[in-house]
Amino acid sequence: MPENRFEIFLTEARAGWLEARLVSNDSHFDLSVNSNFSEPIKDLFRCLCDVRGLDAPTDMETDYRHTEFEWGGEGWLYYWVVTPRPGGVLDILVDFKGKREVGGAEYPVWKIETSTTWDELARQVFTQASEMLWMYGFTGYYARWQKDFPAGEMMRLGHLLHGLPAETDDFARELGYLAETR
Protein backbone atom coordinates (compact mmCIF):
# COMPACT_ATOMS: atom_id res chain seq x y z
CA MET A 1 0.00 0.00 0.00
CA PRO A 2 1.53 3.34 -1.01
CA GLU A 3 2.29 5.80 1.76
CA ASN A 4 2.14 8.79 -0.59
CA ARG A 5 -0.71 11.25 -0.53
CA PHE A 6 -2.23 11.95 -3.95
CA GLU A 7 -5.50 13.77 -4.40
CA ILE A 8 -7.28 15.32 -7.33
CA PHE A 9 -9.79 18.16 -7.18
CA LEU A 10 -11.83 19.31 -10.18
CA THR A 11 -12.47 22.83 -9.01
CA GLU A 12 -14.33 24.56 -11.85
CA ALA A 13 -15.33 24.43 -15.50
CA ARG A 14 -15.97 27.72 -17.27
CA ALA A 15 -15.62 29.21 -20.76
CA GLY A 16 -14.01 26.04 -22.13
CA TRP A 17 -11.46 25.75 -19.32
CA LEU A 18 -11.29 23.18 -16.53
CA GLU A 19 -9.43 24.17 -13.40
CA ALA A 20 -8.04 21.34 -11.30
CA ARG A 21 -5.68 20.89 -8.38
CA LEU A 22 -3.41 17.93 -7.69
CA VAL A 23 -2.03 17.38 -4.22
CA SER A 24 1.04 15.18 -3.93
CA ASN A 25 2.20 14.72 -0.37
CA ASP A 26 2.30 18.34 0.88
CA SER A 27 2.69 20.04 -2.52
CA HIS A 28 -0.20 21.59 -4.45
CA PHE A 29 -0.24 21.87 -8.25
CA ASP A 30 -2.85 23.90 -10.14
CA LEU A 31 -3.80 22.85 -13.65
CA SER A 32 -5.70 24.76 -16.29
CA VAL A 33 -6.93 22.66 -19.23
CA ASN A 34 -8.69 23.82 -22.41
CA SER A 35 -11.59 21.92 -24.01
CA ASN A 36 -10.18 22.53 -27.52
CA PHE A 37 -7.18 20.32 -26.72
CA SER A 38 -8.31 17.89 -24.03
CA GLU A 39 -11.04 15.92 -22.31
CA PRO A 40 -9.59 15.44 -18.82
CA ILE A 41 -12.60 13.91 -17.07
CA LYS A 42 -13.11 11.44 -19.90
CA ASP A 43 -9.36 10.62 -19.83
CA LEU A 44 -9.47 9.89 -16.10
CA PHE A 45 -12.61 7.73 -16.41
CA ARG A 46 -11.20 5.73 -19.33
CA CYS A 47 -7.81 5.27 -17.70
CA LEU A 48 -9.25 4.04 -14.41
CA CYS A 49 -11.64 1.67 -16.18
CA ASP A 50 -8.88 0.31 -18.39
CA VAL A 51 -6.35 -0.33 -15.60
CA ARG A 52 -8.87 -1.92 -13.20
CA GLY A 53 -7.56 -5.30 -12.20
CA LEU A 54 -4.25 -5.01 -14.06
CA ASP A 55 -1.19 -6.02 -12.10
CA ALA A 56 1.46 -5.12 -14.65
CA PRO A 57 2.25 -2.33 -17.08
CA THR A 58 0.54 -2.59 -20.43
CA ASP A 59 2.44 -3.53 -23.59
CA MET A 60 1.81 -0.47 -25.72
CA GLU A 61 2.84 -2.37 -28.89
CA THR A 62 -0.24 -4.59 -28.68
CA ASP A 63 -2.39 -3.12 -25.91
CA TYR A 64 -4.50 -0.03 -26.43
CA ARG A 65 -5.56 0.75 -22.89
CA HIS A 66 -5.85 4.41 -22.02
CA THR A 67 -2.89 4.67 -19.62
CA GLU A 68 -1.08 7.60 -21.22
CA PHE A 69 -2.73 10.88 -22.18
CA GLU A 70 -2.15 14.63 -22.45
CA TRP A 71 -4.09 17.59 -21.18
CA GLY A 72 -3.39 20.82 -22.99
CA GLY A 73 -3.74 24.53 -22.58
CA GLU A 74 -2.44 27.29 -24.80
CA GLY A 75 1.29 26.66 -24.92
CA TRP A 76 1.47 24.03 -22.19
CA LEU A 77 0.86 20.31 -21.76
CA TYR A 78 0.34 18.00 -18.82
CA TYR A 79 1.58 14.51 -19.72
CA TRP A 80 -0.01 11.67 -17.71
CA VAL A 81 1.28 8.12 -17.39
CA VAL A 82 -0.58 5.69 -15.12
CA THR A 83 1.16 2.36 -14.56
CA PRO A 84 -0.61 -0.47 -12.71
CA ARG A 85 1.31 -2.61 -10.23
CA PRO A 86 0.35 -5.61 -8.11
CA GLY A 87 -2.20 -5.15 -5.35
CA GLY A 88 -4.22 -2.43 -7.06
CA VAL A 89 -1.41 0.13 -6.79
CA LEU A 90 -1.05 2.75 -9.52
CA ASP A 91 2.15 4.64 -10.21
CA ILE A 92 1.22 8.15 -11.35
CA LEU A 93 3.45 10.46 -13.37
CA VAL A 94 2.23 13.94 -14.30
CA ASP A 95 4.77 16.03 -16.19
CA PHE A 96 3.96 19.72 -16.85
CA LYS A 97 5.83 21.34 -19.73
CA GLY A 98 5.42 24.68 -21.45
CA LYS A 99 6.39 26.21 -24.78
CA ARG A 100 7.41 29.79 -25.33
CA GLU A 101 6.45 29.72 -29.01
CA VAL A 102 4.38 27.54 -31.32
CA GLY A 103 6.46 24.57 -32.43
CA GLY A 104 9.22 25.58 -30.03
CA ALA A 105 11.04 23.51 -27.47
CA GLU A 106 9.19 22.28 -24.38
CA TYR A 107 10.48 23.45 -21.02
CA PRO A 108 9.81 21.51 -17.80
CA VAL A 109 7.77 23.32 -15.16
CA TRP A 110 7.05 20.62 -12.57
CA LYS A 111 6.74 16.86 -12.34
CA ILE A 112 4.81 14.60 -9.97
CA GLU A 113 5.88 11.00 -9.46
CA THR A 114 3.83 9.18 -6.86
CA SER A 115 1.69 6.13 -6.16
CA THR A 116 -1.85 5.58 -4.97
CA THR A 117 -4.36 2.77 -5.07
CA TRP A 118 -6.95 2.25 -7.79
CA ASP A 119 -9.75 2.36 -5.22
CA GLU A 120 -8.59 5.67 -3.76
CA LEU A 121 -8.08 7.42 -7.09
CA ALA A 122 -11.28 6.01 -8.61
CA ARG A 123 -13.29 7.16 -5.58
CA GLN A 124 -11.78 10.66 -5.79
CA VAL A 125 -12.36 11.03 -9.54
CA PHE A 126 -15.91 9.65 -9.33
CA THR A 127 -16.78 11.93 -6.41
CA GLN A 128 -15.24 15.04 -7.96
CA ALA A 129 -16.95 14.45 -11.31
CA SER A 130 -20.30 13.69 -9.70
CA GLU A 131 -20.05 16.91 -7.65
CA MET A 132 -19.37 18.84 -10.84
CA LEU A 133 -22.33 17.15 -12.55
CA TRP A 134 -24.64 17.90 -9.60
CA MET A 135 -23.43 21.50 -9.51
CA TYR A 136 -23.84 22.26 -13.23
CA GLY A 137 -26.11 19.54 -14.67
CA PHE A 138 -25.60 18.20 -18.17
CA THR A 139 -26.57 21.39 -20.00
CA GLY A 140 -24.67 23.62 -17.59
CA TYR A 141 -21.57 21.45 -17.99
CA TYR A 142 -21.90 21.68 -21.77
CA ALA A 143 -22.36 25.46 -21.61
CA ARG A 144 -19.25 25.80 -19.43
CA TRP A 145 -16.99 23.15 -20.98
CA GLN A 146 -18.29 23.21 -24.58
CA LYS A 147 -18.44 19.40 -24.77
CA ASP A 148 -20.86 16.83 -23.43
CA PHE A 149 -20.28 15.35 -19.99
CA PRO A 150 -18.79 11.83 -20.39
CA ALA A 151 -21.78 10.09 -18.79
CA GLY A 152 -21.11 6.66 -20.32
CA GLU A 153 -17.54 6.57 -19.04
CA MET A 154 -18.72 7.75 -15.62
CA MET A 155 -21.28 4.95 -15.47
CA ARG A 156 -18.65 2.38 -16.38
CA LEU A 157 -16.31 3.64 -13.64
CA GLY A 158 -19.17 3.81 -11.14
CA HIS A 159 -20.11 0.21 -11.85
CA LEU A 160 -16.50 -0.95 -11.38
CA LEU A 161 -16.09 1.14 -8.22
CA HIS A 162 -19.31 -0.13 -6.64
CA GLY A 163 -19.09 -3.75 -7.80
CA LEU A 164 -22.10 -3.52 -10.14
CA PRO A 165 -22.34 -5.40 -13.43
CA ALA A 166 -20.55 -3.31 -16.05
CA GLU A 167 -22.73 -4.40 -18.95
CA THR A 168 -25.81 -2.50 -17.83
CA ASP A 169 -26.86 0.72 -19.54
CA ASP A 170 -29.45 1.72 -16.97
CA PHE A 171 -28.51 5.36 -16.50
CA ALA A 172 -31.53 6.12 -14.31
CA ARG A 173 -30.35 3.53 -11.77
CA GLU A 174 -26.86 5.08 -11.75
CA LEU A 175 -28.23 8.56 -11.09
CA GLY A 176 -30.43 7.11 -8.34
CA TYR A 177 -27.35 5.57 -6.74
CA LEU A 178 -25.55 8.93 -6.92
CA ALA A 179 -28.49 10.66 -5.25
CA GLU A 180 -28.50 8.08 -2.42
CA THR A 181 -24.77 8.56 -1.73
CA ARG A 182 -24.91 12.35 -1.47
Side-chain angles (χ1 to χ4, degrees):
M1 174 82 72
E3 295 180 22
N4 298 324
R5 174 182 172 212
F6 182 77
E7 296 177 286
I8 186 166
F9 299 95
L10 305 174
T11 56
E12 185 177 14
R14 61 178 156 64
W17 288 88
L18 177 76
E19 304 298 325
R21 173 169 280 188
L22 302 179
V23 178
S24 179
N25 295 321
D26 293 325
S27 298
H28 296 240
F29 303 89
D30 291 319
L31 292 78
S32 188
V33 183
N34 189 279
S35 65
N36 290 327
F37 309 115
S38 311
E39 292 207 46
I41 296 175
K42 184 184 279 187
D43 285 331
L44 290 168
F45 287 158
R46 284 183 177 171
C47 176
L48 287 164
C49 289
D50 286 355
V51 299
R52 176 68 172 152
L54 293 179
D55 285 338
T58 59
D59 175 0
M60 295 311 289
E61 296 287 326
T62 60
D63 198 340
Y64 299 104
R65 291 185 177 100
H66 195 73
T67 60
E68 297 181 18
F69 48 90
E70 298 173 359
W71 295 355
E74 293 178 351
W76 61 89
L77 289 169
Y78 307 97
Y79 297 98
W80 286 74
V81 178
V82 178
T83 306
R85 292 192 298 130
V89 173
L90 300 176
D91 288 338
I92 309 284
L93 173 101
V94 184
D95 196 2
F96 177 30
K97 295 182 179 183
K99 292 183 179 187
R100 294 193 175 120
E101 57 190 42
V102 175
E106 291 182 344
Y107 296 94
V109 180
W110 51 254
K111 185 181 211 175
I112 298 170
E113 292 183 79
T114 192
S115 297
T116 190
T117 64
W118 183 92
D119 288 328
E120 183 63 32
L121 186 57
R123 193 171 295 108
Q124 288 177 37
V125 168
F126 190 84
T127 300
Q128 291 293 311
S130 65
E131 290 294 328
M132 188 168 280
L133 184 58
W134 280 106
M135 187 169 25
Y136 302 133
F138 288 107
T139 55
Y141 179 86
Y142 183 84
R144 291 172 160 275
W145 180 242
Q146 302 169 352
K147 291 185 183 175
D148 289 324
F149 186 85
E153 288 85 357
M154 182 179 187
M155 284 179 49
R156 185 173 167 223
L157 179 60
H159 285 107
L160 290 171
L161 185 61
H162 303 298
L164 299 172
E167 66 275 354
T168 184
D169 61 353
D170 185 358
F171 191 59
R173 183 172 65 211
E174 187 68 17
L175 285 178
Y177 179 80
L178 287 173
E180 291 172 12
T181 60
R182 288 186 52 76

